[in-house]
Amino acid sequence: ADVRAVFVGPALDVAQLVEAIPPGVARWSLPYPDVPALDAGWDELIAGQPRHAGYVTPPPDRLLALIYTSGTTGLPKGAMITQGNVEFICEHFLEHVLRPLGFSIGDGSERLLSYLPLAHLYERMACLGASLLIGAQVYFLENIEAMGETLRRVSPSLFVGVPLVYARLQAGVLAKLPQGRLDLLLRLPWVGRRLRQAIRRQLGLAQAKLSISGSAPIAPALLDWFERLGVDIMEGYGQTENYAY
C-alpha cells in the first residue's frame, strides 16, 4: 500500500513501532499519555480545519480499504474492500439487525466500547462501521487491565467480543458466585430475577440491546450460560474478503 502517514496510538512496544516506520512516512500521534510527540498530533491536525463539504459518494466498484488477514481462508493477503461491499453490508445490518432491535439512529444516544484491533475486519465493521451508521458514541479502552471497570462505566448498547472475552466475563462471575449456588438462586422466582439484573449490571451488559461474538467459534454451553442471565449473544461468521457477509 502507498502509505503516506501513520497514526500512532498506545501499544506495549510503541517505541519499536515508531522506529519501524520508514523514512518519508508522516508520523501522527494520537492523544494518549504514553504516546510520544511525533511529526504532528491529532489535536494539531484537526485544529482550525473546515468541515468537509461537497462529498460525493464513490462508485460501487471503487476500492475503499485494504484490510489485511493472516490467511485463515488461504494465504495472507490484503483484502480489497469496495464501496459496494460496505454499502451492501451497512444496508442489511441496519435494516435486519439494528432497527428491529430498537437502536436509535442519529441521536447519539447509543454507546459502543472499542477494544479489539481496528486493523481487523470484525472491529472495523461491528464497532467503527456501526458507530458511523447510527451515530453512536464510541469509548476506547486505554488499559486492558481495566476492561471490567470500563465496561461497567460505559454500559454499551452494542457490545462486540470474541469467545475468550465472554469466557473471562463468565469466570469473573463464577469466582464470586460458584455455579452450584448460582443455579440454585436462579431457580428462585423473585431472587433469580433480581440476581440476573445485578449480574448484568456488574458485567456492564445491562443496557446491551445486542451482544455479538465472532472471530472464532463460541461454545454452545457458554451461549446458554449467558442466555440464562438474560444476555442473548448473536454469533457471527464471515470472511474478510466479502466484508463479513
Side-chain angles (χ1 to χ4, degrees):
D2 185 18
V3 176
R4 301 181 182 180
V6 173
F7 287 99
V8 179
L12 296 176
D13 54 352
V14 65
Q16 295 179 356
L17 175 64
V18 171
E19 290 178 2
I21 299 175
V25 176
R27 306 169 306 167
W28 296 339
S29 55
L30 295 175
Y32 288 90
D34 298 328
V35 175
L38 300 172
D39 299 331
W42 175 257
D43 295 334
E44 180 184 348
L45 286 171
I46 65 173
Q49 293 294 324
R51 207 178 263 274
H52 184 65
Y55 176 77
V56 177
T57 302
D61 60 351
R62 176 73 59 82
L63 179 65
L64 188 66
L66 287 172
I67 301 181
Y68 291 89
T69 172
S70 59
T72 305
T73 56
L75 295 174
K77 65 179 77 70
M80 301 172 68
I81 306 299
T82 66
Q83 174 73 19
N85 293 145
V86 176
E87 288 181 358
F88 180 85
I89 293 299
C90 286
E91 290 172 3
H92 284 70
F93 191 40
L94 182 62
E95 295 303 321
H96 298 290
V97 179
L98 299 178
R99 286 193 189 276
L101 289 174
F103 279 86
S104 300
I105 311 299
D107 66 3
S109 62
E110 308 294 359
R111 299 172 308 285
L112 291 82
L113 176 61
S114 179
Y115 65 97
L116 296 172
L118 279 166
H120 295 176
L121 176 68
Y122 182 31
E123 181 77 352
R124 192 176 297 193
M125 180 193 71
C127 191
L128 175 62
S131 70
L132 295 174
L133 194 59
I134 63 177
Q137 305 172 47
V138 181
Y139 295 78
F140 290 91
L141 181 66
E142 295 190 20
N143 182 356
I144 191 62
E145 301 298 328
M147 175 68 181
E149 176 187 346
T150 305
L151 186 54
R152 286 190 294 274
R153 178 168 54 85
V154 174
S155 191
S157 45
L158 168 60
F159 180 67
V160 178
V162 297
L164 179 59
V165 169
Y166 287 105
R168 288 184 174 175
L169 292 176
Q170 179 195 47
V173 173
L174 296 181
K176 299 178 180 178
L177 190 61
Q179 188 67 60
R181 183 167 176 77
L182 176 62
D183 291 338
L184 175 63
L185 294 174
L186 289 178
R187 284 196 292 267
L188 302 176
W190 185 85
V191 173
R193 184 171 63 254
R194 296 296 296 270
L195 180 60
R196 288 183 181 90
Q197 294 171 349
I199 292 176
R200 290 199 299 269
R201 285 196 300 269
Q202 182 65 21
L203 291 174
L205 299 178
Q207 302 298 320
K209 301 174 184 176
L210 173 62
S211 298
I212 302 176
S213 177
S215 291
I218 187 170
L222 189 55
L223 293 174
D224 293 341
W225 189 87
F226 275 96
E227 185 178 4
R228 292 185 64 203
L229 299 176
V231 178
D232 294 324
I233 300 173
M234 178 183 293
E235 186 174 14
Y237 169 80
Q239 294 178 311
T240 300
E241 292 85 346
N242 61 5
Y243 208 63
Y245 174 65

